Amino acid sequence: MALKCVPIFFCSQKPQSLPEIPALGYSRGRLVLDLRPIRLECCALGASAQSAICLVEDEKPGAKTSPTGKIDNDGNTISRGFHKDLNLLPKPLSKTDLSPFPDDGSNVRVAFQGISGAYGEDAALKAYPNCETVPCDQFEAAFNVRMAVELWLVDKAVLPIENSVGGSLHRNYDLLLRHRLHIVREVLLVVNHCLLALPGVEKQEVKRVLSHPQALAQCEMALTKMGIVRVSADDSAGAAKIVASSGRRDMGAIASARAAALYGLDILAEKVQDEDDNVTRYLVLTREPIIPGTDRLYKTSIVFTLEEGPGMLFKALAVFSLRGINLSKIESRPQKGRPLRVVDDSNKGSAKYFDYLFYIDFEASMAEKRAQNALEHLQEYARFLRVLGCYPMDEVL
């Protein structure tokens, strides 16, 4: 039976009597990791106001296997429930197998958004220097569970989540919740935006540049001073490829130095971005979570919704402050399934306002008791709570 790891969910209702539930879940005052072939899912995002717990059994434990009924040459019944050679059985997973640092990334396939030369590929190669990078057209393609992950076409996906200049990538926050992948690592990548053009072209000849909207926004002041028209493209490396194939001397691209080398373009200027300190934070996602430890600095990412009432967000954040846990990031996104919440008002009928999802990164490992207690405390205020991943922090630029 193949071992499958599970999505990590919490529900705000009191613990219910459930048989041997896996995941980083609630267990009488502590949170534990148990890798078993059952998935625990919280259904609190539906239209019903009541939180519900659903068990989905991919492979029911304890299921009996019946014989095939086939007879071998000696007249014995062959049973499909047993292996004759025990060495052929799959070996149990160890902490090394689930490590986000498998040597130097050899034999690892990593998906990224864009084409060769994109910054996402740079992030993948920083995390796993000898990995095989797999380009994807859009962020959804890198996230496509059926095509890229569950079908084992790739081992990991790299996703940009925020930039020190441009801020958060909201579209990708939505994807984190939509797809059941686990964050196993973060990558901090220093971005050097370069102005690229065909060989022999002078800077003053360039009248328009192509690049990803985020890259263009990060170079807005510099491009305005040059009097250059900005044109959006799907990704920066794709923009470099378009310029290389266009043959137009008045067209340039904002992309990386590696993209210039790949597509035969000249670098007319480096560090075109408005801020010299330009860093993009990427997340590495896989099918299974890693086993959290305390051997280095860890970060945990969660998403939750809150019950109604005054001061609920303050109370939710206080569970971390009370335990000395630093919050490094908080982001709110409207719930797409239920963007409006209706509240009865005895005087004026009803009031409508947005219902939010809160994404939080905090600096603690799920192996620590204080992190487990904080999430258990958070359950008192949350209608829905999911751990997106617990992973080592990247401190090297």
Side-chain angles (χ1 to χ4, degrees), residues 333-351:
R333 296 287 295 149
Q335 283 198 60
K336 291 188 175 181
R338 42 185 302 175
L340 298 178
R341 186 187 298 177
V342 179
V343 181
D344 290 334
D345 187 325
S346 57
N347 295 326
K348 299 181 180 180
S350 64

Side-chain angles (χ1 to χ4, degrees), residues 218-374:
Q218 293 166 20
C219 305
E220 183 175 2
M221 293 176 60
L223 294 176
T224 300
K225 288 181 180 180
M226 298 180 197
I228 295 177
V229 177
R230 297 174 286 278
V231 181
S232 296
D234 287 339
D235 64 273
S236 58
K241 185 177 181 180
I242 292 173
V243 171
S245 60
S246 70
R248 295 182 55 176
R249 298 178 62 87
D250 65 338
M251 182 182 295
I254 298 295
S256 66
R258 197 163 66 86
L262 285 173
Y263 301 109
L265 299 177
D266 282 353
I267 299 177
L268 303 184
E270 292 192 59
K271 293 189 175 180
V272 186
Q273 62 265 21
D274 299 332
E275 300 291 337
D276 289 338
D277 297 328
N278 188 354
V279 178
T280 299
R281 178 174 172 243
Y282 289 81
L283 300 178
V284 179
L285 304 118
T286 64
R287 288 173 291 272
E288 304 90 6
I290 63 169
I291 299 175
T294 55
D295 55 327
R296 65 189 78 191
L297 294 176
Y298 274 75
K299 184 180 292 185
T300 302
S301 297
I302 64 173
V303 57
F304 60 91
T305 58
L306 292 171
E307 298 286 356
E308 300 174 18
M312 293 303 292
L313 180 58
F314 171 80
K315 294 175 183 177
L317 300 181
V319 306
F320 301 99
S321 176
L322 290 172
R323 295 165 178 85
I325 298 175
N326 183 48
L327 300 181
S328 59
K329 172 74 173 179
I330 179 169
E331 187 77 29
S332 62
R333 296 287 295 149
Q335 283 198 60
K336 291 188 175 181
R338 42 185 302 175
L340 298 178
R341 186 187 298 177
V342 179
V343 181
D344 290 334
D345 187 325
S346 57
N347 295 326
K348 299 181 180 180
S350 64
K352 296 182 179 180
Y353 55 98
F354 283 92
D355 202 5
Y356 287 97
L357 289 160
F358 297 97
Y359 292 83
I360 282 182
D361 296 338
F362 62 87
E363 297 175 359
S365 170
M366 288 299 297
E368 298 180 59
K369 187 68 175 177
R370 60 174 184 157
Q372 299 171 13
N373 291 340

Side-chain angles (χ1 to χ4, degrees), residues 79 86 120 226 292:
S79 172
L86 296 180
M226 298 180 197

Side-chain angles (χ1 to χ4, degrees), residues 113 118-124 126-127 139 158-169 172 185-193 212 214-215 218 236 273 275-284 299 394-397:
Q113 188 270 333
Y119 290 108
E121 186 176 37
D122 290 340
K126 179 188 176 185
F139 291 125
V158 172
L159 186 80
I161 198 66
E162 61 179 327
N163 177 266
S164 59
V165 177
S168 299
L169 280 75
N172 294 346
R185 187 171 181 176
E186 69 173 359
V187 181
L188 300 180
L189 182 72
V190 177
V191 177
N192 176 20
H193 287 312
H212 188 274
Q214 281 278 338
Q218 293 166 20
S236 58
Q273 62 265 21
E275 300 291 337
D276 289 338
D277 297 328
N278 188 354
V279 178
T280 299
R281 178 174 172 243
Y282 289 81
L283 300 178
V284 179
K299 184 180 292 185
D394 187 6
E395 299 179 295
V396 180
L397 293 178

Side-chain angles (χ1 to χ4, degrees), residues 15-239:
Q16 301 185 16
S17 177
L18 293 174
E20 304 276 336
I21 296 177
L24 278 170
Y26 180 92
S27 178
R28 302 296 298 173
R30 62 190 182 93
L31 297 166
V32 295
L33 176 64
D34 186 9
L35 304 178
R36 302 191 184 190
I38 304 178
R39 294 184 304 186
L40 177 61
E41 178 177 350
C42 180
C43 303
L45 287 178
S48 172
Q50 295 293 328
S51 299
I53 296 178
C54 303
L55 271 178
V56 181
E57 297 185 3
D58 294 330
E59 298 174 4
K60 295 185 178 180
K64 297 181 179 180
T65 305
S66 59
T68 61
K70 295 182 179 179
I71 307 298
D72 63 14
N73 294 331
D74 298 328
N76 299 320
T77 301
I78 301 174
S79 172
R80 93 170 35 139
F82 300 93
H83 292 266
K84 291 184 177 180
D85 188 355
L86 296 180
N87 292 324
L88 298 179
L89 289 172
K91 300 297 187 295
L93 286 178
S94 66
K95 183 174 181 178
T96 303
D97 297 319
L98 296 179
S99 170
F101 308 103
D103 299 323
D104 57 358
S106 301
N107 301 320
V108 173
R109 291 170 57 84
V110 183
F112 66 95
Q113 188 270 333
I115 64 174
S116 295
Y119 290 108
E121 186 176 37
D122 290 340
L125 292 173
K126 179 188 176 185
Y128 309 100
N130 293 324
C131 71
E132 178 185 352
T133 56
V134 180
C136 296
D137 290 338
Q138 299 293 334
F139 291 125
E140 285 83 352
F143 249 99
N144 193 308
V145 178
R146 290 179 55 197
M147 182 184 72
V149 182
E150 286 189 347
L151 294 182
W152 296 78
L153 298 179
V154 297
D155 303 293
K156 306 175 189 296
V158 172
L159 186 80
I161 198 66
E162 61 179 327
N163 177 266
S164 59
V165 177
S168 299
L169 280 75
H170 295 141
R171 179 185 183 188
N172 294 346
Y173 270 101
D174 295 337
L175 290 174
L176 282 176
L177 186 61
R178 188 184 309 165
H179 298 270
R180 300 189 180 189
L181 299 180
H182 304 272
I183 306 170
V184 297
R185 187 171 181 176
E186 69 173 359
V187 181
L188 300 180
L189 182 72
V190 177
V191 177
N192 176 20
H193 287 312
C194 301
L195 177 60
L196 312 181
L198 292 174
V201 173
E202 299 292 333
K203 185 189 298 186
Q204 59 269 20
E205 295 183 63
V206 178
K207 303 302 179 184
R208 57 167 51 192
V209 295
L210 283 68
S211 194
H212 188 274
Q214 281 278 338
L216 294 175
Q218 293 166 20
C219 305
E220 183 175 2
M221 293 176 60
L223 294 176
T224 300
K225 288 181 180 180
M226 298 180 197
I228 295 177
V229 177
R230 297 174 286 278
V231 181
S232 296
D234 287 339
D235 64 273
S236 58

